[in-house]
Amino acid sequence: YELYDDCGNVATCQQIITVNDTIPPTIACPTAPLTALCDISEVAPYANLDSFLMAGGTAFDNCALDSMSFTLLSETTDSMMCPETVTRTYQVADICGNVATCQQIIIVDDTEAPVLTCPPSDTLECDISMLPPYATLADFVAAGGSATDSCGIVDTSFTLLSETFTGMCPTTYVRIYSVSDI
C-alpha cells in the first residue's frame, strides 16, 4: 500500500496474506449394499469420482476437490468363504492436498445350490453289484449325470449319501448322491 501526504512524501507497507486450506474434504461411500455371487470381480471399483458420485457416494470440500485424486486406496478381504466380506477404501484430496477416505463393504456370497442330475435309470439282471455306486464325479458324469453351479463345483465333494431298496423281484434301489459348490 502507498500513502502520500500533502507535500508528496510517500509511505508504503506490505501486507502478507497466506491462503492455506487445512480442512480435509469429506467423503462418504455409497450406502446401497453391494453383493457379488461368486467373486469380487463381479463388482468393479469406481473408475473415477463421477462414477462414485453417480452410484450414490458424496464428496465435498470447503474450497475445491481435486477430482483427479480420487482413487481406490485398498481392497481387503476377511478371507472367509460364503460369505466373504471385502472392504474397499476410497480416497479423495482437495486442491491443497488434504485427504479423506471412506470404506465400502461388498459381500460375496453364493446362495444358489448346485444342480445335480442323475444318470438315466437302469435295469439289471440278477444283482445290484453289477452297477456299483459311482466313486467319482467324473464317473457319474460319464454315465450321463451332470453337476452344474453358477460359481463352480468341488469335484471331491461328490459322495453317495444313501442307498435304499424296496421289494423283491423286482427290487428297486434308490441311490442319493450329493455334491457341493465352492
Side-chain angles (χ1 to χ4, degrees):
Y1 296 97
E2 287 185 343
L3 178 65
Y4 293 91
D5 64 12
D6 290 340
C7 294
N9 299 310
V10 178
T12 62
C13 72
Q14 181 179 10
Q15 179 185 26
I16 297 175
I17 301 169
T18 303
V19 177
N20 187 19
D21 177 10
T22 59
I23 300 170
T26 59
I27 185 172
C29 286
T31 57
L34 292 179
T35 58
L37 182 63
C38 299
D39 188 77
I40 188 62
S41 64
E42 297 169 26
V43 181
Y46 301 111
N48 53 45
L49 184 59
D50 287 338
S51 63
F52 175 83
L53 297 173
M54 287 177 54
T58 60
F60 174 78
D61 188 68
N62 62 319
C63 293
L65 286 172
D66 175 7
S67 62
M68 298 303 290
S69 72
F70 178 82
T71 188
L72 172 63
L73 194 60
S74 66
E75 182 175 279
T76 58
T77 176
D78 65 0
S79 299
M80 302 298 290
M81 292 289 292
C82 303
E84 173 190 16
T85 301
V86 177
T87 303
R88 287 184 176 157
T89 302
Y90 291 96
Q91 176 178 289
V92 71
D94 63 17
I95 58 174
C96 290
N98 301 304
V99 298
T101 61
C102 70
Q103 292 185 329
Q104 183 177 44
I105 304 294
I106 300 130
I107 304 296
V108 181
D109 192 12
D110 177 5
T111 57
E112 295 178 14
V115 175
L116 187 64
T117 305
C118 287
S121 298
D122 207 347
T123 302
L124 303 173
E125 296 221 9
C126 299
D127 195 303
I128 189 67
S129 64
M130 296 173 64
L131 184 62
Y134 302 108
T136 66
L137 181 58
D139 295 339
F140 182 83
V141 170
S146 66
T148 58
D149 186 71
S150 55
C151 297
I153 297 290
V154 178
D155 291 357
T156 57
S157 71
F158 178 79
T159 187
L160 173 67
L161 290 180
S162 67
E163 179 177 81
T164 58
F165 66 93
T166 57
M168 287 296 264
C169 294
T171 303
T172 301
Y173 286 85
V174 176
R175 291 179 176 160
I176 298 177
Y177 294 94
S178 173
V179 72
S180 298
D181 63 14
I182 58 173

